[in-house]
Amino acid sequence: MSAPIRKRRWLTICAISASAALVAIPAGAAPGRGGSPFGARNLARLAAEREQSVRHITAKVKADDGGDDGNEADEIAEGADQYAEARTSPGIVAPGAYGAAWQSLRNLPGTGGSWHNITNLPYNSDDSRYRDVDSNSSGGSGNVTGRMAAMAADDHGYVYAGSAGGGVWRSRTGGGHWQPISDQLPSQSTGALALDGAGRLWLGTGEANTNADAYLGSGVYVLSDPHHGTFSTRSRVGGDELQSTTIRQLRFGGGKVWAATSEGVWSHSTKNLRGPWKLEYAPNPDYLPGGSKAHDDAAAYKNITNDIAIDPKDPSKVILAVGWRSGDDYNGFYTKAGGTWQRITSGFGDLPTDAGNVGTVTFARSADGSRYYAIDESPAQMASNPDSGLEGIYSAASPFGPWTKIADYKQLAADGSALTTAGYMPGVQAWYNQFLTVDPANPKHVYAGLEEVYETKDGGATWSTVGPYWNFTFPCWSIDPAKQTGDCSQTTHSDQHGVAIGSYHGKSYVYVGNDGGAYKRPVNGSQDASGHATDWTSLNDGTIDTLQYYSVGVGKDLDHGGVLVTGGLQDNGQSILRSNDKVMGSNFGGDGGDTLTDPANGCNMAEEYVYLAVQITQNCAVNDGSWTTDASKATSYNVAPADNATSEARFIAPLATDMKNSSTWIAGGRHVWVQTHGYAIRSGSEWKSVHDLGAGRTATAVAASGGKVYAAWCGPCNEQGFARGISVGNADGTGWHDITLPATGADGTVPNRYLSGFAIDPKNADHVFLAVNGFSRHWTEGPGAGFGHVFESTDGGTTWKDISANLPDVPTDSAVVTANGGLAVATDLGVVYRAPGHTKWQRVGRLPAVAVLQLKLSADGSTLYAATHGRGIYTIRVRDCG
């Protein structure tokens, strides 16, 4: 039995989702602090800390093809930085920017027409049609969708799944047959879900995983009839106090609901939902909005709180778990003594109380209150231990201790973990992956989630990895497509975030949410000899589409007629949808970045992993399961240009084909790369560097038509000295020069912000449009932020004109010129359109409030495709746009 070859690793993407990092807001956004519900300023501050926070989680993985060591944790940090940079540089963005943008977008006239979701069908990561060497097929996670941040379930078969950026979904059948129930809320990002004793469903918005695409929220909402109702803006609890925060946990006790947020711990009556939230404790109140240090770069992580443990026998006794994952002197556990909150410094037993060893923490307690459990991530260990940041899992008879350590990463690794076969140890991302719950019927029966799912039935004396990271390299694994995942049982997707226990038809199930969606198994399920569960069921049946796309590609399906659609996804590889498919497949694994697809033959495609690690296939990467590196038999080829090996490309780097010659490709890193073999390319050596953008610079967008190439770049790309520019030249390497852009982004000129996309007029290569990310200087505290988001040049980029007109002040990500001369633009809050001959913008249809990262046209130009980062791929007829 051969071992898997060059498997793409999920861990890279876990925390990035390179996409989205801020907010998305649907209709009806109520104004909050600063006049709107969202704050983008936190992004920049968190981005500045991200690299430090994960730099030392340095599990090294040697690429099987002999490439460089892959530092997965550093990739997470850098991808997070870069997604935030695009939206915040050259400075800090003030709270309220997204809320104001959404209000403006709602006020735009609509174009008519309706979007159609084409990815609302099962997406099988194990699809045996695409068992290519670079796929994750046969890994065992089955049907997947986008990241689930929180789960809740009751004893009547109702299950609730809260996604990272695609809203909250309900199942009436114990999982599956999902319906969205939060589309009318001003935030589609979930931080916490909880059912109270009265059966009400509580939603805390704002994902609290501190990753790149964790969106801020608009507060807490309650649904009195979760079996039948839907959330509305009228169901918000309290006032504006929790706007522009993330909420990690909601806990109940003493007639109160407690919220652990990014701006302290708050409480509110569960009986009277009106009136303001009460700030119970903030370790550094000067850094809160309105405080003397609110504008400090450190403000975003100076009041992060993680969880609350309440003694059910005496709800006045409360423990707060407080602290930023990378460590700060305020990190620790707090309780009230003498009417004020005091740090606990002794009597906790094995559970550390010193600031350096208290990071991200999750509590759980048994239904009878006899046992408490906790997971603790250690900032000190994360900074010094390349294997794991997990301090341990603990148990106590009281939240006040003494606590006993019942597991560490070495013990979990020895109990059937698959992480060790991937070059990691359990808890390598304990700052990002955590859940914990106790079986209501057995106080010693615990489920813990890190990168994998672990179970103990004896209070922690022994553990089993019931949800291993994947099945690769296990003795039971087989590539035989007839066996699907071989002799191994299905597992869950990696990177765990949410958990709940509920019943359906009298049987108890545990429900887990992770970077691949939602899964369940019987609470007292079966295991094989290795301790791996044999009874996981994926609940991602296609009725729940929270897929997080970076890109989309469209081409003819020559084998079946119709259209083939593909796209790159956060942590879920590359999807492929044939015209006759009832189930969507995955032909490349890991992260999926940018995508090139041959309009004339969709099975000719190129996909980017990260950093310009480009793979191509000319048969959709279909094979018979016989993996090989023999070039004469291979179905996909690694053709990365040299900037991939030297790490001189963006995490999600730009790719493009020449509009007039599909055999000419452009790739952007530090260099502008050109190859002229089209999909017949077989080696990275076939790329030619036609222009060096310069040391410290890297391409953010590329486009070409008739041999004329445009390349936008940044360098430095963060707010410290941020600089941007445009280089123009020819694909044959001649005529390259930098466009002169005002360094300060003077009014009416291209701002000193991140340049995210070009759209070339197919009739004239000198006529080009430019999409500009970030926010104007009205919101951005940075030099040259300027105004405007869409610019036009009629002289090949020599001069530019601001054509933003009534376009909302919102980050723009992509643009396309339609066949009739109209211009469609993708933004972080939807799609807008300018009809030919007009100067004003219209809103295109009514997409869910998620970022649209890329737009593409069908081969005949009749249909517009939108890659959203949280609700899949949508289409609309171009004729309905104008």
Side-chain angles (χ1 to χ4, degrees):
M1 181 184 302
S2 61
I5 305 169
R6 295 201 318 272
K7 296 317 295 174
R8 309 283 290 282
R9 298 172 297 277
W10 278 312
L11 201 59
T12 1
I13 306 134
C14 62
I16 310 175
S17 200
S19 350
L22 300 177
V23 269
I25 318 181
R33 292 170 300 180
S36 61
F38 285 96
R41 170 167 37 190
N42 287 355
L43 261 206
R45 292 166 173 168
L46 289 176
E49 175 69 320
R50 277 190 184 102
E51 186 171 354
Q52 175 186 346
S53 72
V54 295
R55 175 177 297 167
H56 301 291
I57 319 172
T58 55
K60 300 284 188 179
V61 176
K62 192 74 166 178
D64 292 306
D65 59 356
D68 293 335
D69 283 349
N71 189 327
E72 300 285 339
D74 282 354
E75 290 178 6
I76 293 168
E78 190 168 353
D81 279 346
Q82 291 182 10
Y83 195 81
E85 288 168 0
R87 287 153 177 80
T88 58
S89 296
I92 294 173
V93 179
Y98 273 97
W102 179 249
Q103 294 292 347
S104 297
L105 192 67
R106 291 182 63 213
N107 293 333
L108 287 183
T111 62
S114 298
W115 290 95
H116 172 60
N117 184 344
I118 64 169
T119 52
N120 58 344
L121 74 169
Y123 174 32
N124 185 5
S125 67
D126 286 322
D127 194 326
S128 60
R129 294 174 294 173
Y130 308 105
R131 195 145 289 181
D132 183 78
V133 64
D134 283 315
S135 78
N136 281 331
S137 181
S138 77
S141 60
N143 290 345
V144 297
T145 190
R147 185 169 68 251
M148 290 298 157
M151 303 293 295
D154 65 20
D155 290 330
H156 306 285
Y158 286 80
V159 183
Y160 309 94
S163 67
V168 180
W169 299 70
R170 172 177 59 214
S171 170
R172 294 184 170 98
T173 58
H177 304 288
W178 300 91
Q179 298 173 317
I181 61 172
S182 67
D183 281 3
Q184 299 307 310
L185 292 186
S187 173
Q188 294 299 298
S189 173
T190 306
L193 287 175
L195 288 161
D196 67 12
R200 297 178 296 180
L201 180 64
W202 294 70
L203 163 63
T205 60
E207 186 189 6
N209 288 321
T210 60
N211 47 296
D213 55 347
Y215 297 75
L216 300 176
S218 57
V220 173
Y221 300 83
V222 64
L223 187 55
S224 297
D225 183 12
H227 287 185
H228 305 98
T230 58
F231 287 102
S232 74
T233 55
R234 296 186 301 275
S235 63
R236 192 180 69 173
V237 179
D240 298 340
E241 299 81 22
L242 301 187
Q243 302 252 27
S244 297
T245 67
T246 62
I247 298 173
R248 191 170 184 274
Q249 294 286 359
L250 295 172
R251 303 293 189 185
F252 303 97
K256 294 180 181 180
V257 58
W258 293 69
T261 82
S262 54
E263 293 184 355
V265 175
W266 300 69
S267 71
H268 199 284
S269 168
T270 56
K271 297 178 181 179
N272 180 6
L273 303 183
R274 299 183 181 275
W277 286 80
K278 176 185 177 183
L279 177 60
E280 293 282 356
Y281 180 67
N284 297 289
D286 287 346
Y287 290 90
L288 293 175
S292 61
K293 298 181 179 179
H295 293 277
D296 191 287
D297 286 348
Y301 53 88
K302 281 295 187 179
N303 287 288
I304 287 178
T305 57
N306 296 296
D307 209 345
I308 305 110
I310 303 170
D311 187 340
K313 300 173 184 176
D314 184 355
S316 67
K317 295 181 178 179
V318 178
I319 299 285
L320 309 181
V322 176
W324 168 230
R325 70 189 193 199
S326 297
D328 207 327
D329 56 10
Y330 72 89
N331 283 31
F333 298 98
Y334 293 77
T335 189
K336 268 195 173 178
T340 61
W341 293 96
Q342 303 288 333
R343 175 184 281 168
I344 296 172
T345 58
S346 62
F348 244 36
D350 294 341
L351 186 58
T353 57
D354 60 295
N357 283 306
V358 180
T360 303
V361 171
T362 301
F363 288 124
R365 70 171 176 85
S366 62
D368 63 5
S370 65
R371 299 304 302 171
Y372 287 79
Y373 298 90
I375 295 176
D376 178 31
E377 169 262 330
S378 165
Q381 184 162 295
M382 189 173 74
S384 61
N385 187 346
D387 291 326
S388 177
L390 177 67
E391 178 67 25
I393 304 177
Y394 302 83
S395 175
S398 160
F400 289 85
W403 293 85
T404 300
K405 181 180 282 191
I406 56 175
D408 59 19
Y409 73 91
K410 294 179 181 178
Q411 179 179 352
L412 296 176
D415 290 328
S417 171
L419 271 174
T420 55
T421 67
Y424 301 95
M425 294 291 276
V428 66
Q429 291 178 179
W431 57 270
Y432 173 70
N433 305 312
Q434 280 194 24
F435 72 54
L436 196 59
T437 195
V438 186
D439 180 353
N442 181 357
K444 292 187 176 182
H445 188 189
V446 179
Y447 279 91
L450 293 166
E451 298 76 27
E452 304 170 294
V453 182
Y454 308 97
E455 181 184 21
T456 179
K457 294 185 177 181
D458 52 19
T462 60
W463 291 86
S464 299
T465 307
V466 291
Y469 189 76
W470 54 22
N471 285 327
F472 296 127
T473 74
F474 286 152
C476 60
W477 175 83
S478 170
I479 191 57
D480 183 352
K483 296 182 179 180
Q484 293 298 308
T485 58
D487 296 325
C488 296
S489 300
Q490 291 288 126
T491 183
T492 71
H493 194 285
S494 57
D495 303 330
Q496 313 305 316
H497 301 292
V499 65
I501 292 177
S503 298
Y504 181 57
H505 289 169
K507 187 172 184 178
S508 294
Y509 292 90
V510 59
Y511 298 90
V512 302
N514 50 48
D515 274 18
Y519 296 77
K520 76 173 182 181
R521 73 180 290 247
V523 169
N524 289 294
S526 60
Q527 302 177 15
D528 63 20
S530 299
H532 304 144
T534 62
D535 45 14
W536 284 110
T537 299
S538 169
L539 303 178
N540 309 305
D541 59 2
T543 63
I544 183 169
D545 183 5
T546 59
L547 291 168
Q548 297 166 291
Y549 279 94
Y550 293 123
S551 62
V552 59
V554 187
K556 291 182 180 179
D557 188 346
L558 298 184
D559 293 331
H560 307 98
V563 177
L564 183 153
V565 182
T566 185
L569 288 150
Q570 187 274 334
D571 218 4
N572 284 296
Q574 186 88 358
S575 70
I576 176 170
L577 175 61
R578 310 288 297 262
S579 60
N580 67 331
D581 274 351
K582 303 300 182 185
V583 174
M584 188 162 58
S586 176
N587 55 1
F588 293 98
D591 266 310
D594 212 343
T595 301
L596 299 180
T597 306
D598 185 351
N601 180 0
C603 272
N604 290 334
M605 64 180 68
E607 75 91 35
E608 178 192 17
Y609 176 25
V610 291
Y611 304 115
L612 284 182
V614 179
Q615 281 81 14
I616 68 101
T617 179
Q618 289 193 276
N619 75 335
C620 287
V622 171
N623 71 0
D624 62 1
S626 55
W627 292 1
T628 179
T629 55
D630 183 340
S632 67
K633 299 177 181 179
T635 58
S636 68
Y637 307 87
N638 297 311
V639 296
D643 281 352
N644 168 251
T646 57
S647 301
E648 292 182 288
R650 303 282 288 173
F651 183 80
I652 302 296
L655 297 172
T657 57
D658 189 298
M659 296 176 66
K660 302 297 185 183
N661 182 356
S662 61
S663 292
T664 297
W665 295 6
I666 316 299
R670 167 180 168 170
H671 302 82
V672 179
W673 298 92
V674 173
Q675 69 92 4
T676 57
H677 303 280
Y679 296 93
I681 186 174
R682 292 294 181 268
S683 167
S685 64
E686 296 174 66
W687 291 93
K688 177 184 178 182
S689 172
V690 298
H691 182 61
D692 185 348
L693 295 172
R697 295 178 177 180
T698 183
T700 60
V702 295
S705 180
K708 182 159 190 171
V709 181
Y710 297 88
W713 53 264
C714 63
C717 296
N718 58 25
E719 66 216 49
Q720 286 79 37
F722 177 83
R724 54 78 182 101
I726 298 173
S727 298
V728 179
N730 299 314
D732 63 5
T734 63
W736 279 93
H737 61 284
D738 284 346
I739 298 297
T740 300
L741 296 177
T744 58
D747 290 354
T749 65
V750 176
N752 187 40
R753 304 202 308 268
Y754 187 93
L755 309 181
S756 54
F758 293 103
I760 302 176
D761 183 344
K763 299 177 181 178
N764 180 1
D766 286 335
H767 186 199
V768 61
F769 299 91
L770 173 67
V772 181
N773 217 293
F775 288 93
S776 75
R777 72 165 180 244
H778 179 79
W779 299 101
T780 303
E781 303 170 12
F787 290 96
H789 289 274
V790 183
F791 291 77
E792 179 180 18
S793 174
T794 57
D795 55 13
T798 301
T799 60
W800 296 88
K801 176 184 177 182
D802 184 359
I803 60 168
S804 303
N806 63 326
L807 183 71
D809 187 0
V810 61
T812 59
D813 302 298
S814 173
V816 294
V817 178
T818 59
N820 64 355
L823 183 64
V825 173
T827 80
D828 271 8
L829 293 176
V831 179
V832 295
Y833 178 75
R834 192 187 73 164
H838 290 69
T839 60
K840 300 295 185 180
W841 297 89
Q842 296 173 283
R843 177 165 48 98
V844 179
R846 288 184 175 271
L847 279 175
V850 290
V852 181
L853 297 187
Q854 193 173 84
L855 296 174
K856 292 285 180 66
L857 288 168
S858 59
D860 63 3
S862 66
T863 304
L864 185 66
Y865 289 77
T868 79
H869 198 71
R871 290 294 280 265
I873 296 174
Y874 284 77
T875 67
I876 194 169
R877 294 178 300 180
V878 172
R879 71 185 187 189
D880 291 335
C881 293

